[in-house]
Amino acid sequence: MVTIERFDPLSAGEGGIAAYHAVFAASRETDRPGEPVLPLGELAGRLTRPLPGMGEAAQWVAYRGDELVAFAEVHFLDAENRGIGLTDVVVHPAARRSGIGTALLRAVLPELRARGRRSVEGWQVVAGSAGEPWAEALGFRPVRTIVRQVLVVAEAERSRWDVAVPPGYRVVRWKGAAPDGLLESYARARAAIHDAPLGDSGFRWPEWTPARVRAAEAEARSQGLDQRIVAAVHEGTGEVAGFTEVCVHPRRPDWGYQRDTAVLAAHRGHGLGRCVKAHMIRWLVAERPGLRRISTTTGAENAHMIRVNRELGLRSLPALIAVRQDVDALLSPGRRRA
């Protein structure tokens, strides 16, 4: 018999978190073989305090008898994305194809509707994994292919990071808060991410303003993140022309998470993206000798950035498929068990 209930990570205790992590780890080992699994402590931290920009989170778990065999996690994105419930359903490989994942998803849907979420999006479906046919059977449609790439520091050819600064620009870097004199142009440069294609996803990039930049920086500081920015500044105007951002989490100091990289349209074609990324890698490796990996994701349509990453020594991992379905359609009966 399968029972489904809400999961409160703050009251679950060490045993409850460990059982949750066991399902997570077994799923990752099956769907992403050969990749390091998120450590227990890092997963526990993310459950109790979601990563910056992800909004409020809620979890549900499924038990078969007394054994936790599956979970669902929803992030209630905010601001431009208040209509989306970003949802991940994870079932232990030994418990798949028995309807548990579908039952979990259906248990989540009333909460999504109550919060005004019109659509469900999932961004963690590994191409070729069991998640693809499961999502298809429930009417989810693929809306975006996400290319994953990783730099394994120990295996890298470091000469690839020796990239000169293009004439007419200088490189500026900082941790945490942007310098006051660059704040406004940095916010404009962050807004250049809007040019990155999102396929048919309902997700919208943030509308970056100086105030929003400061709020995001404060949120990162509150979680103890080592947030680093490398920016290319145009000498003629003194304004930020492009940047890249990497965060290192305190519970996982050996791993850098590459976040946004963007170059303003007027400054493209000079190699600024490759320049700032190369300078970022050199900075991180020099100051954090224990760093083992830097990972990033890029929309499959962005062939230029994928090529830049490859030139810097990043290798590709199995792609992720982002899928989307309407909440009302999922609430309708008749979907097959998955």
Side-chain angles (χ1 to χ4, degrees), residues 43 71 88 119 126 150 158 184 230 245 272:
L43 179 67
F71 64 83
D88 191 20
S119 65
V126 180
V150 64
R158 299 191 176 205
E184 289 195 14
V230 173
E245 173 190 16
L272 293 180

Side-chain angles (χ1 to χ4, degrees), residues 89-310:
V89 177
V90 178
V91 181
H92 194 289
R96 290 176 179 174
R97 302 193 63 80
S98 60
I100 294 174
T102 303
L104 254 178
L105 180 60
R106 293 197 185 283
V108 168
L109 295 176
E111 180 81 6
L112 293 177
R113 175 181 271 179
R115 295 191 185 216
R117 308 292 157 152
R118 299 180 299 278
S119 65
V120 180
E121 292 205 16
W123 299 349
Q124 298 293 326
V125 179
V126 180
S129 72
E132 266 199 287
W134 177 79
E136 182 181 359
L138 289 167
F140 280 90
R141 55 195 181 278
V143 293
R144 189 179 182 222
T145 299
I146 302 167
V147 173
R148 297 188 301 139
Q149 293 172 286
V150 64
L151 177 73
V152 181
V153 174
E155 301 173 0
E157 182 184 336
R158 299 191 176 205
S159 62
R160 291 173 177 259
W161 313 333
D162 294 328
V163 178
V165 181
Y169 298 90
R170 71 179 187 272
V171 165
V172 178
R173 67 191 194 188
W174 63 83
K175 298 179 185 180
D180 290 340
L182 293 177
L183 178 59
E184 289 195 14
S185 65
Y186 172 53
R188 287 193 293 273
R190 291 210 69 126
I193 197 71
H194 288 213
D195 294 342
L198 289 169
D200 293 325
S201 169
F203 178 81
R204 295 294 173 261
W205 295 114
E207 295 294 337
W208 288 104
T209 64
R212 193 159 187 176
V213 168
R214 288 295 191 229
E217 292 169 345
E219 187 177 12
R221 281 196 304 274
S222 73
Q223 295 202 22
L225 271 61
D226 178 5
Q227 181 192 35
R228 299 180 183 226
I229 306 295
V230 173
V233 175
H234 183 236
E235 293 279 21
T237 62
E239 297 191 341
V240 174
F243 76 96
T244 192
E245 173 190 16
V246 169
C247 285
V248 181
H249 299 266
R251 296 177 300 269
R252 204 176 196 188
D254 63 337
W255 200 296
Y257 293 90
Q258 174 78 62
R259 301 183 63 158
D260 290 351
T261 300
V263 177
L264 286 163
H267 297 277
R268 292 172 190 163
H270 302 289
L272 293 180
R274 182 166 174 257
C275 171
V276 294
K277 282 198 164 192
H279 280 252
M280 175 67 81
I281 294 169
R282 285 161 49 192
W283 184 23
L284 279 167
V285 170
E287 288 202 354
R288 302 190 70 106
L291 192 75
R292 297 170 59 192
R293 291 183 171 226
I294 302 173
S295 61
T296 188
T297 58
T298 310
E301 306 92 338
N302 196 343
H304 170 71
M305 191 57 68
I306 293 168
R307 184 177 66 253
V308 165
N309 292 336
R310 193 179 304 120

